[in-house]
């Protein structure tokens, strides 16, 4: 189980943000997706937070690539 906050290549639905958060915190991706969908019923900036995480979280491939 990866403890880094990355967007995995496997298990994505849109951008992999929920799957990455689920891996990081040891939850199932389905549970994180359900919590996100339920949070959309509340007023707030959930969609903006999702988009920001999409931009800030690196892809798993880029994170695991060797640096020169």
């Amino acid at each position: 189980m990866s403890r880094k906050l990355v967007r995995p290549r496997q298990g994505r639905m849109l951008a992999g943000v929920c799957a990455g958060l689920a891996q990081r915190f040891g939850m199932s991706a389905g549970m994180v997706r359900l919590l996100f969908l339920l949070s959309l019923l509340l007023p707030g900036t959930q969609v903006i937070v999702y988009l920001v995480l999409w931009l800030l979280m690196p892809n798993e491939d880029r994170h695991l690539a060797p640096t020169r």
Side-chain angles (χ1 to χ4, degrees), residues 23-53:
Q23 279 186 349
R24 171 63 176 93
F25 295 109
M27 300 172 66
S28 72
M31 179 61 72
V32 175
R33 290 179 186 121
L34 178 64
L35 290 172
F36 175 72
L37 288 175
L38 290 175
S39 76
L40 292 176
L41 299 173
L42 302 170
T45 59
Q46 297 87 335
V47 175
I48 294 172
V49 171
Y50 186 91
L51 294 173
V52 168
L53 285 173

Side-chain angles (χ1 to χ4, degrees), residues 2 4-8 16-17 19-21 23 57-60 63:
S2 172
K4 301 282 185 185
L5 188 57
V6 295
R7 294 183 295 128
V17 172
L21 289 172
Q23 279 186 349
M57 287 173 64
N59 275 330
E60 187 176 44
H63 180 71

